[in-house]
Amino acid sequence: MIQVEVTVNGEARSAEVEPRLLLVHFLRDVCRLRATNVGCDTTSCGACTVLLDGVSVKSCTVLAAQADGHEVATVEGLAREGELHPVQAAFRAEHGLQCGFCTPGMVMASVGLLQANPHPTEEEIRIGLEGNLCRCTGYHNIVRAVLAAAEAEA
Amino acid sequence: MQPRGSILGTRVQRVEDPQLLTRGGVYTDDLVDDALASAVHVSFVRSPIAHARITSIDLTALRAAPGFVAAFTAEDLALPGARPMLATIDERFTRPILAAGTVRYVGEPVAIVVTEGYYQAEDVGELVDIEYDPLPPVVDPLAAGRDEVLLFPDVGTNTVCEFLPEHRDEQLFENCEVVVSSEIVNQRVAPAPLETRAAAASWGSDDRLTMWLPNQGAQTSQRALAALLGLDISRLRIVTPDVGGAFGAKFGADPEHAAVAWVARELARPARWSEQRYDNMLAMTHGRAQLQTVTIGGDRDGKLRAYRLDVVQDCGAYPAIGALLPSLTRMMAPGTYRFERVESAARCVVTNTTPIGAYRGAGRPEATAAVERAVDLFAAEIGMDPADVRRRNLLPAFAEPQENGSGALYDSGDYPAALELALSAAGYDDLRREQAERRERGDVRLLGIGLASYVEITGGGDEAGAPSENALIEVHPDGTATILTGTSPHGQGHATAWAMLASDELGIPIELITVRHGDTDLVPEGGGTGGSRSLQQGGAAVQQAARELADIARLRAADMLEANPDDLRIDRDRAAITVAGSPHVAVTLAELAGVERLFVRTVFTAPGATFPFGAHVAVVEVDTETGRPTLLRLISVDDAGVVLNPLLADGQRHGGLAQGAAQALFEEMVYDDDGNPLTATFADYAFPSAAELPMFQLETMETPTTYNPLGAKGLGEAGTIGSTPAVQNAVIDAVAHLGVRHIDMPTTSRRIWEAIQTATTNAEGRL
Ligand code: FES
Ligand code: FES
C-alpha cells in the first residue's frame, strides 16, 4: 500500500491505496465522487475524463499514485454557489446530454478544450472531443453547446 | 391577467439536467444503499472458444486466492434457463444461465467467480482452469442453414423458425419489363450503450429479492427475471436506477442478471455486478444481422410492380429477440411504395456467435434498408434518377388507415410531401449539378447523394392485445405533484415531458412535479420504453390522468364552493378551480388535496400501432484514390405527428441519425471463421466520435395521428431507420457512374476502393 495525497476539487484527500489503484477508482470509491464514469477498458470512451492540473486526462489511465501531489477537478466541483459553470449551462440549454453517462467526462473535456482554445471552430471542437464517445446525442448538440459556451465566456 | 399559453410544443429545458450535470446520474454501479452494504462482487468466466465441449473445470487454485468468496458452475445452479421467446420454437434451444457441457459462442458465461472486491476479480479470474474440446464452429448463417455443423445436435437443425408466405407466387414478376435482384448484408452491430450491463441484488429477511437493474421496463424485467429464477413475481422487486443508454438491448433480463440474484441468495449476502466493456461487447445482445435477397420488378418508365424480400436472420447462439425481428421486417417490407405484389419470407438460424436482440429500430431498419437499396438498384438499371423513381411510386397522401399488403395498417401519412421537403431542403438539383461537374472535371473527390423514404411501426401492442400504458397523478397539499408512469426513460426526458403534460392541464409548474418510474412496488404495471411507444401511450396516459384529476377536483370543489360543477373551471395560472365569471371564488388543487387525497390512476389504450414516416437525404464525398467516404450532410424529415417538446424530439432524431449513419459507414461486429470476435473493444469497434459526423439538418413536418389525443407517433428510432440506407445509397451513388451498383455496409474505405477497382477493371475488360 502507498500513501497518496491528491487535491480534489480544491480539497486535500489522502489515503492509503494499492499501487495499482486507478485515479478513476480513487475518485469514485475513496473520495465517493461518482459522477466520473467508466465506459471502457481501452482508454477509448472518455467517460472518465477529469482535469489533472487543469489539463483533461482519462482518469482510467492514470494511477492514483501518479496524481499524488497534484490537483484534480471533476464535474462535481464545477458549479459555483449553485450557479452552473458556463459549459454546464450550455449543455443544458442546447440539450447536449440525454442519458447523462458520457456527460461528466464530456463536460470536463469541453472545459479543458476551451481552456486551451477559448474560441474553437466547429471543426476544432469535433477533433478536440474525438476521445469522448456519446451514444445518445449524435454529438450535434454537444458541439453546439461547446460553441455556445465559448460565446458566453467571451 | 391573460391566460398563459400552452407549453406544449415548446422547447422546455430538461428538469433532469441539473443533477446529471453537477453530481452525475446515479447509475447502478454508483448506488449507495444500506441493503447493499458489504456486497460481494460477481464476475463471469467466459468461453474463449466459439464452439466446444467443456471437458473439465478446476477451481482449486482459485480458492486460496486473496479476496476469493465463492465460485459456481452450471452444476451448482439448477435454474431452468431462458426459453425461446416464441412458443413455436423448439424448447431445446433454451439458453442456460451458465454453459452446461457445451459452449456455443465466445463470451458465453461458463463459471461465476465471487470476490470481495472488483480488483480481486481480475486477479482470480485467471486462476480458473477450464479445459475445452473444440467442436467445429459455424459463423456464417448460410452455412448454418445447411446443418452440416449443428449447435444443438438433439434438435437436428440450426433453423429455429421460418416465416413463409401463405403461397409462393411463381408469377410474382411476370408482367415486369425489368427485374433486378441483389444480395444485401445488414451487418451485425453492437448496441454499445455507454453504461454497460450491471446489477445489484439483495434478499430481504422476508425472502424477497430487491434487484437494481439498468433496464427499459422494470415490469418486463421483473417477469423475465422471475421466469429465469423460477420465482413468483410477488417475491421480486425491480428498482431502476439511472440508465446510461439502452437502445433496445436492456429490455427484460439476461442470464447474468439471474446469476447475480442467485449468488446473493446462495451466499446470503448482497451481490453486485458491473461488466467490463470487453464483456459487454461479447455478451450483451447484438443487433441486425440479416442476410437479405431483394428482387424488384417494374417497367422501364419507372413504374414498380413487384417486390420480394428473403431474409436469413442470424440469431446468434440462442434464439432471443433476434428470432422475432424478421416478423417486423416482413411486415414493413414494402415501405412507402405502392407495389402490385409483395412477398417475403424469413428463416432464423443459430450460429456460434453472440445472441441477437433488439437494437434501435429492431427489424424495421432492416426492412427500410432492403427496399431503399432495391429501389436504387432498379433506378440504376433503368437509368432513371432515384428521386423520380420514388416520386413515381410512393403511396399518395392518406388520412384514413390503409393496408400495406404485408400485414400492417398504416394510420396516416404523406410520403410524397416528406420526400419533396427533404429534396428541396437538400437543394437536390444543385447537388446533382455539382456531382456532374465534379465527375466531368475528373475530381478525385466525388459527390454522392443518397435518398431514403421510410415508414416504420411504433407503439405496437403485445400478446396481451391493444397497446396501452398507465399513469398515476397525485397532487399534494404543499402544491407539488407526483406522476407515476409505466414508461422507463433512459435519456429520453420523460421527467420533463410528462411534467409538461400534467402542468399544461393542471397549471402546476413543472419544477413542482416529480416523475417516478421503474420501481415495481410503486408501479406494478407498465410497458416500459422501447419500440418508440412512450409519448404516444405513456404521455397520453399522463394527459388523460391529468384531465380526469381536473374533473375530480371540479366535483370536489363544487361541494366546497357550493357551486354547480358545470360553472367551475380549472384556472391554470393558479392551479385552482374557480367559478366562471367570478375568479375570486377559488379553491386550489393543493387545498383540495389537504382535505382528501387527490389522485387518479388511469390507463390509456390506443386503437393500434402508429406509422411515423419521413425522408432522408445524405451527401457524401468519396475520395477515389483512397476510397475514403466523408459524410458531409444529412438532411432529415421525420414526421412523427404532433411534437410535444422540439428540444427533446430533435435530440432523439440526432441520436438516431448518428447511429444509422454509423451503421452505414463504420460499425460492424466482425468474427473470423473460427468464431473469434475481432471487434470486441472500443479500440477495435468503429464507434464514431464527433470528428466523423456532421451537423444534422432537421426539417419539420407534423401529420397528426388520430390514435391518441396528443396526435403523436413514435420518434425514437426514426433517425436510424431513414439514415442508414440514405447514407449507404449516397456512398454507392458517388461511384455509380463507374459501374458500381452495390457496396455492403459498412461502406468502409477499403470496400469502396475495391468496388472502384473492380468496376474499373470490368469497364476496361469490356473495351
Ligand atoms: S473509461 Fe473509457 S476512456 Fe476511461
Ligand atoms: S448522453 Fe448518453 S452517452 Fe452521451
Side-chain angles (χ1 to χ4, degrees):
Chain A
M1 298 292 258
I2 52 165
Q3 183 74 29
V4 296
E5 184 170 325
V6 186
T7 306
V8 180
N9 298 332
E11 213 179 296
R13 304 279 197 145
S14 63
E16 282 241 305
V17 301
E18 272 192 75
R20 62 173 167 172
L21 185 74
L22 297 173
L23 178 58
V24 67
H25 292 133
F26 177 82
L27 295 169
R28 288 177 56 85
D29 297 337
V30 177
C31 305
R32 308 250 155 195
L33 293 169
R34 299 215 161 120
T36 307
N37 290 318
V38 176
C40 75
D41 34 29
T42 49
T43 319
S44 308
C45 77
C48 61
T49 307
V50 299
L51 300 186
L52 183 64
D53 296 335
V55 177
S56 64
V57 295
K58 293 181 173 178
S59 63
C60 70
T61 312
V62 176
L63 295 170
Q66 291 173 295
D68 185 32
H70 294 273
E71 291 197 17
V72 171
T74 73
V75 83
E76 285 102 331
L78 218 48
R80 292 269 171 266
E81 286 139 28
E83 280 282 304
L84 294 180
H85 180 280
V87 172
Q88 289 170 314
F91 266 68
R92 184 175 188 211
E94 301 296 335
H95 189 29
L97 63 153
Q98 291 183 28
C99 80
F101 198 84
C102 72
T103 308
M106 198 66 86
V107 166
M108 296 315 285
S110 303
V111 170
L113 186 149
L114 290 175
Q115 267 165 22
N117 177 4
H119 300 289
T121 61
E122 180 199 326
E123 174 93 15
E124 286 167 342
I125 294 169
R126 287 186 180 275
I127 291 167
L129 294 179
E130 201 168 9
N132 289 73
L133 301 180
C134 173
R135 198 55 156 170
C136 300
T137 63
Y139 306 104
H140 183 108
N141 284 343
I142 290 175
V143 175
R144 281 168 39 116
V146 180
L147 285 167
E151 194 100 317
E153 282 182 292
Chain B
M1 193 169 138
Q2 291 294 313
R4 51 179 217 152
S6 172
I7 53 171
L8 305 191
T10 66
R11 302 177 82 86
V12 174
Q13 289 186 14
R14 296 209 310 175
V15 298
E16 293 90 335
D17 290 355
Q19 155 91 29
L20 294 174
L21 283 162
T22 58
R23 279 160 293 155
V26 181
Y27 306 97
T28 300
D29 202 32
D30 301 334
L31 281 174
V32 178
D33 194 296
D34 285 346
L36 294 172
S38 73
V40 291
H41 179 84
V42 175
S43 59
F44 295 90
V45 180
R46 297 180 181 279
S47 172
I49 302 181
H51 198 193
R53 300 282 311 162
I54 302 170
T55 51
S56 71
I57 304 181
D58 182 354
L59 305 172
T60 25
L62 192 65
R63 299 190 192 278
F68 172 83
V69 177
F72 304 102
T73 64
E75 277 175 24
D76 303 308
L77 243 57
L79 291 173
R83 290 169 178 224
M85 295 177 102
L86 281 177
T88 50
I89 299 177
D90 193 313
E91 285 216 1
R92 288 171 294 179
F93 285 111
T94 290
R95 175 182 183 180
I97 303 292
L98 293 177
T102 303
V103 289
R104 297 188 176 88
Y105 68 97
V106 173
E108 179 159 15
V110 178
I112 300 171
V113 174
V114 186
T115 53
E116 294 290 347
Y118 53 83
Y119 275 55
Q120 289 153 348
E122 294 188 16
D123 299 339
V124 305
E126 290 163 15
L127 302 174
V128 180
D129 189 8
I130 304 176
E131 285 186 17
Y132 297 94
D133 186 7
L135 293 166
V138 58
V139 177
D140 170 29
L142 295 179
R146 290 195 291 271
D147 286 339
E148 284 152 12
V149 170
L150 293 174
L151 269 74
F152 297 82
D154 288 2
V155 186
T157 177
N158 292 322
T159 297
V160 168
C161 54
E162 279 189 281
F163 303 95
L164 300 171
E166 275 167 30
H167 65 277
R168 273 259 179 199
D169 182 355
E170 300 302 333
Q171 272 91 52
L172 200 72
F173 298 98
E174 186 106 292
N175 63 343
C176 300
E177 293 172 10
V178 179
V179 181
V180 195
S181 189
S182 182
E183 285 181 7
I184 293 175
V185 179
N186 204 294
Q187 82 274 27
R188 170 187 288 260
V189 291
L194 256 254
E195 181 207 23
T196 58
R197 294 178 302 166
S202 172
W203 289 83
S205 49
D206 53 356
D207 203 24
R208 193 164 178 259
L209 170 67
T210 301
M211 185 89 174
W212 290 263
L213 191 69
N215 67 76
Q216 293 181 241
Q219 301 77 12
T220 315
S221 292
Q222 182 189 35
R223 283 195 301 276
L225 191 61
L228 290 174
L229 293 169
L231 280 183
D232 188 88
I233 64 161
S234 64
R235 293 191 38 219
L236 171 54
R237 173 188 179 194
I238 302 281
V239 181
T240 310
D242 285 327
V243 177
F247 312 108
K250 288 182 181 168
F251 246 121
D254 293 340
E256 288 92 337
H257 298 128
V260 175
W262 183 90
V263 164
R265 183 140 192 234
E266 184 71 14
L267 299 178
R269 282 179 70 176
R272 304 182 78 140
W273 168 60
S274 176
E275 71 183 349
Q276 307 257 325
R277 177 59 59 186
Y278 182 67
D279 298 271
N280 178 264
M281 295 298 280
L282 291 182
M284 177 181 244
T285 50
H286 296 156
R288 310 282 190 261
Q290 285 188 1
L291 296 179
Q292 306 172 325
T293 306
V294 295
T295 310
I296 190 166
D299 296 344
R300 297 224 163 262
D301 66 359
K303 182 173 171 49
L304 295 172
R305 293 186 183 276
Y307 177 61
R308 175 179 281 154
L309 173 63
D310 287 292
V311 174
V312 178
Q313 173 74 56
D314 180 357
C315 292
Y318 300 96
I321 294 175
L324 312 182
L325 300 178
S327 305
L328 284 166
T329 308
R330 291 185 67 213
M331 183 189 269
M332 299 311 296
T336 52
Y337 301 99
R338 194 174 36 178
F339 290 104
E340 290 163 10
R341 296 174 303 281
V342 176
E343 197 177 275
S344 66
R347 181 179 189 191
C348 298
V349 300
V350 285
T351 61
N352 290 115
T353 59
T354 299
I356 292 293
Y359 174 58
R360 203 168 196 163
R364 297 103 81 200
E366 296 88 328
T368 305
V371 75
E372 289 305 303
R373 264 300 36 242
V375 169
D376 264 29
L377 284 165
F378 182 83
E381 185 68 28
I382 62 169
M384 194 181 235
D385 186 315
D388 290 332
V389 176
R390 285 177 173 80
R391 285 180 171 124
R392 177 91 218 253
N393 294 284
L394 287 176
L395 287 161
F398 58 98
E400 293 295 319
Q402 187 167 324
E403 302 269 359
N404 80 341
S406 278
L409 186 67
Y410 295 171
D411 61 324
S412 63
D414 190 348
Y415 312 144
L419 179 67
E420 292 309 328
L421 178 54
L423 290 173
S424 69
Y428 186 68
D429 296 338
D430 291 342
L431 288 169
R432 284 284 174 217
R433 253 193 300 281
E434 188 185 336
Q435 177 184 52
E437 281 165 19
R438 288 201 196 190
R439 284 176 179 175
E440 223 153 279
R441 67 169 181 255
D443 200 322
V444 294
R445 291 168 317 137
L446 296 170
L447 204 64
I449 308 138
L451 316 182
S453 165
Y454 75 88
V455 56
E456 59 138 340
I457 174 170
T458 66
D462 54 18
E463 326 81 74
S468 66
E469 189 50 271
N470 73 93
L472 183 150
I473 301 185
E474 175 158 11
V475 176
H476 307 290
D478 63 359
T480 64
T482 303
I483 297 173
L484 304 185
T485 176
T487 66
S488 195
H490 40 281
Q492 294 84 351
H494 297 178
T496 304
W498 293 187
M500 285 170 71
L501 288 164
S503 176
D504 187 61
E505 295 296 328
L506 302 173
I508 299 170
I510 63 168
E511 311 79 63
L512 300 184
I513 302 174
T514 305
V515 176
R516 302 189 63 184
H517 75 277
D519 179 338
T520 53
D521 276 4
L522 207 57
V523 190
E525 283 164 45
T529 288
S532 302
R533 66 183 296 275
S534 294
L535 176 60
Q536 56 185 317
Q537 285 149 26
V542 169
Q543 188 188 55
Q544 181 171 302
R547 287 180 177 169
E548 289 175 13
L549 188 131
D551 287 341
I552 292 171
R554 276 196 308 127
L555 291 177
R556 289 202 197 154
D559 284 348
M560 203 181 268
L561 301 172
E562 294 179 353
N564 183 337
D566 294 340
D567 296 336
L568 296 181
R569 59 176 193 81
I570 185 143
D571 177 345
R572 296 192 178 87
D573 291 324
R574 291 185 283 172
I577 304 292
T578 61
V579 179
S582 2
H584 55 282
V585 187
V587 54
T588 64
L589 297 178
E591 285 163 351
L592 288 170
V595 176
E596 187 188 341
R597 272 187 75 183
L598 182 58
F599 71 98
V600 168
R601 179 183 184 276
T602 195
V603 174
F604 171 77
T605 303
T610 58
F611 293 81
F613 61 92
H616 291 183
V617 178
V619 184
V620 302
E621 201 168 75
V622 168
D623 184 322
T624 51
E625 289 176 343
T626 61
R628 187 164 189 269
T630 307
L631 179 60
L632 299 180
R633 292 173 65 197
L634 194 47
I635 299 101
S636 89
V637 175
D638 299 300
D639 189 331
V642 179
V643 170
L644 171 64
N645 180 337
L647 193 71
L648 302 181
D650 289 356
Q652 288 298 308
R653 293 169 70 187
H654 293 151
L657 290 167
Q659 278 173 317
Q663 186 187 359
L665 292 170
F666 311 118
E667 294 184 20
E668 179 171 24
M669 267 312 293
V670 183
Y671 287 84
D672 70 13
D673 294 342
D674 293 327
N676 298 305
L678 304 180
T679 52
T681 71
F682 273 2
D684 302 305
Y685 189 77
F687 186 134
S689 77
E692 280 94 36
L693 294 166
M695 288 293 191
F696 305 117
Q697 187 181 336
L698 308 186
E699 299 297 329
T700 308
M701 189 165 148
E702 300 185 33
T703 306
T705 180
T706 57
Y707 284 15
N708 62 72
L710 299 171
K713 307 185 188 185
L715 186 60
E717 294 158 294
T720 324
I721 292 168
S723 64
T724 308
V727 173
Q728 185 188 16
N729 282 343
V731 168
I732 297 163
D733 180 69
V735 292
H737 63 299
L738 303 174
V740 176
R741 286 289 165 86
H742 181 73
I743 303 172
D744 270 321
M745 301 188 292
T747 54
T748 55
S749 306
R750 164 186 277 258
R751 284 191 179 160
I752 296 170
W753 190 83
E754 284 172 357
I756 295 172
Q757 301 313 308
T758 312
T760 320
T761 317
N762 288 349
E764 279 163 7
R766 277 199 297 273
L767 287 180

